[in-house]
Amino acid sequence: VVPVSETIARRDVADVFLPAGKVRVIRNGVSLGRFPFAERRPGPVARIAYAGQLIPEKGVPTLIDAVHRLRQSGVTGVELRVAGKGAQEPELRAQVDRLGLPGVRFLGHTD
């Protein structure tokens, strides 16, 4: 089992009862040597993307609130794309509607 953090590893051992010897943490990461940063000028729109399950543990409501705060502070060129499915989707859609956030799109499951 390969969790991305010690916290998840501890949870897997304590709550899911996986044998500790079979749990090895490998953090998410990107090899900058393999994928170098390309210089570019910022455009008029900043697009933020989230890909994952739509469940409370992922914190997507916090991301939506952050986009809302940006817009409230006068930053208008922000879009949010949410790729994924999950039990929290109706709540997230309602949050976006309640906040009146243009530029937020739910993409569903995306390969």
Side-chain angles (χ1 to χ4, degrees):
V1 176
V2 183
V4 297
S5 71
E6 273 81 14
T7 300
I8 296 172
R10 283 191 300 275
R11 182 206 61 197
D12 288 350
V13 171
D15 298 340
V16 185
F17 308 108
L18 296 174
K22 293 191 176 190
V23 178
R24 180 169 172 236
V25 175
I26 299 179
R27 288 176 179 70
N28 291 330
V30 175
S31 168
L32 296 179
R34 187 171 177 197
F35 301 100
F37 176 75
E39 288 291 332
R40 66 183 181 110
R41 294 186 136 324
V45 174
R47 183 168 294 144
I48 301 167
Y50 168 83
Q53 295 180 44
L54 303 182
I55 56 175
E57 294 84 355
K58 299 295 185 171
V60 180
T62 303
L63 179 57
I64 293 169
D65 281 339
V67 170
H68 177 63
R69 286 178 162 198
L70 283 169
R71 295 194 61 80
Q72 282 185 315
S73 71
V75 179
T76 58
V78 178
E79 296 178 346
L80 174 61
R81 300 296 183 260
V82 179
K85 297 296 270 179
Q88 199 177 31
E89 184 174 350
E91 174 188 328
L92 298 172
R93 288 179 178 275
Q95 179 184 9
V96 168
D97 290 343
R98 184 177 67 255
L99 296 173
L101 288 175
V104 177
R105 302 285 179 267
F106 288 87
L107 307 174
H109 175 77
T110 305
D111 287 337

